[in-house]
Amino acid sequence: MQDKIKITSKKVLQEKRLRKIFLIIIILLLFLLLLFYMIVGIVYNRGNFSITLDKNLYFDRGLIMYDDPEYKVYRPELYAEAPNTFDNISQYWLPEDITENYGGSHNGKNYLAYTFYVENIGEEVRDYWSEVFIEDVLKNVDDAIRIRVYRNDEYITYAKPKPNGEAENNTVAFISDTVVGRTHVENFAPGSIDKYTLVIWIEGSDDECTDNILGGEFKVRMRFNSEYAEES
């Protein structure tokens, strides 16, 4: 009888130990899942679009960027606010005066719009590179994305190529899956100011704009460099 009691007690202790281990594993998994969503939230809440300025452009070449002409100070990075909604639209729905904004975010319904400036406050003629990248994408939403870059009111509209490799209508194809476009600005004289407006939307007329991209997310970055820098 005593042996039976001992065996039963041992079995109960083992079951309690297993339940405790199982509970600890569940708590750890929930913690890791929460941590993951916190990281994703921090990343995406910083905005769908950011702009960075190579420090060499400021310290060595006297270039600055800003989104408020009344507050011209060195800022290594700018952030654009994401619109409240990002449903598909047509490029023809964009306002004709979209570049006339003073500066900063001026989003509309279902599109991101952001205006900022690059100025040469130095004493010599300089040049710089500008590059646009897709930093992160979920559910292939970039298949239907349009990224329009205005520089002093002249623009280029970038889009991911069609599945057959051809450029979408009235667009310049992405250089690669991650590199959208690259521009070299030369002979940027002292006192010169380049006004940029970035507009991002999901093009409803794109054949890849289907239910498959519903719930997708993306992040875009524009980078200003002192030298050509290729990113794979």
Side-chain angles (χ1 to χ4, degrees), residues 46-113:
R46 293 178 73 187
N48 290 81
F49 183 78
S50 63
I51 308 105
T52 58
L53 181 77
D54 179 0
K55 63 181 181 180
N56 292 327
L57 284 177
Y58 173 68
F59 291 108
D60 297 337
R61 303 193 183 189
L63 270 62
I64 62 171
M65 68 176 184
Y66 50 86
D67 57 9
D68 182 354
E70 301 298 324
Y71 188 63
K72 298 181 180 182
V73 298
Y74 169 63
R75 295 173 64 182
E77 194 162 14
L78 302 172
Y79 294 103
E81 298 177 1
N84 293 328
T85 58
F86 235 128
D87 201 354
N88 67 85
I89 62 172
S90 167
Q91 61 177 322
Y92 303 109
W93 299 358
L94 297 173
E96 293 183 1
D97 61 350
I98 199 167
T99 63
E100 295 180 12
N101 190 273
Y102 194 59
S105 293
H106 47 104
N107 303 330
K109 187 176 180 180
N110 298 314
Y111 68 83
L112 181 152

Side-chain angles (χ1 to χ4, degrees), residues 16 20 40 58 60 62 65 77 106-107 110-111 115 120 123 151 158 170 173 202 213 215 217 231-232:
K16 287 183 177 180
K20 188 175 181 180
V40 170
Y58 173 68
D60 297 337
M65 68 176 184
E77 194 162 14
H106 47 104
N107 303 330
N110 298 314
Y111 68 83
T115 295
N120 185 348
E123 299 179 351
R151 176 174 171 257
Y158 297 97
N170 302 315
I202 299 174
I213 66 173
E217 296 185 58
E231 184 169 303
S232 57

Side-chain angles (χ1 to χ4, degrees), residues 7-70:
I7 293 172
T8 303
S9 300
K10 186 177 181 181
K11 195 172 183 180
V12 170
L13 288 174
Q14 287 176 341
E15 289 177 354
K16 287 183 177 180
R17 189 178 295 112
L18 288 172
R19 282 198 296 267
K20 188 175 181 180
I21 293 172
F22 180 74
L23 182 61
I24 292 173
I25 291 174
I26 293 296
I27 292 173
L28 286 174
L29 289 174
L30 289 174
F31 174 76
L32 291 174
L33 187 62
L34 178 63
L35 183 63
F36 170 77
Y37 278 107
M38 287 178 61
I39 292 172
V40 170
I42 290 170
V43 169
Y44 280 97
N45 285 333
R46 293 178 73 187
N48 290 81
F49 183 78
S50 63
I51 308 105
T52 58
L53 181 77
D54 179 0
K55 63 181 181 180
N56 292 327
L57 284 177
Y58 173 68
F59 291 108
D60 297 337
R61 303 193 183 189
L63 270 62
I64 62 171
M65 68 176 184
Y66 50 86
D67 57 9
D68 182 354
E70 301 298 324

Side-chain angles (χ1 to χ4, degrees), residues 44 134 136-146 160-161 174 177 202 206-218:
Y44 280 97
I134 300 287
D136 196 12
V137 63
L138 300 176
K139 299 191 69 173
N140 297 319
V141 70
D142 57 329
D143 288 346
I145 287 293
R146 296 293 184 271
K160 197 171 182 178
F174 289 0
D177 287 341
I202 299 174
D206 194 308
D207 291 339
E208 280 69 60
C209 186
T210 66
D211 289 346
N212 293 332
I213 66 173
L214 287 175
E217 296 185 58
F218 64 95

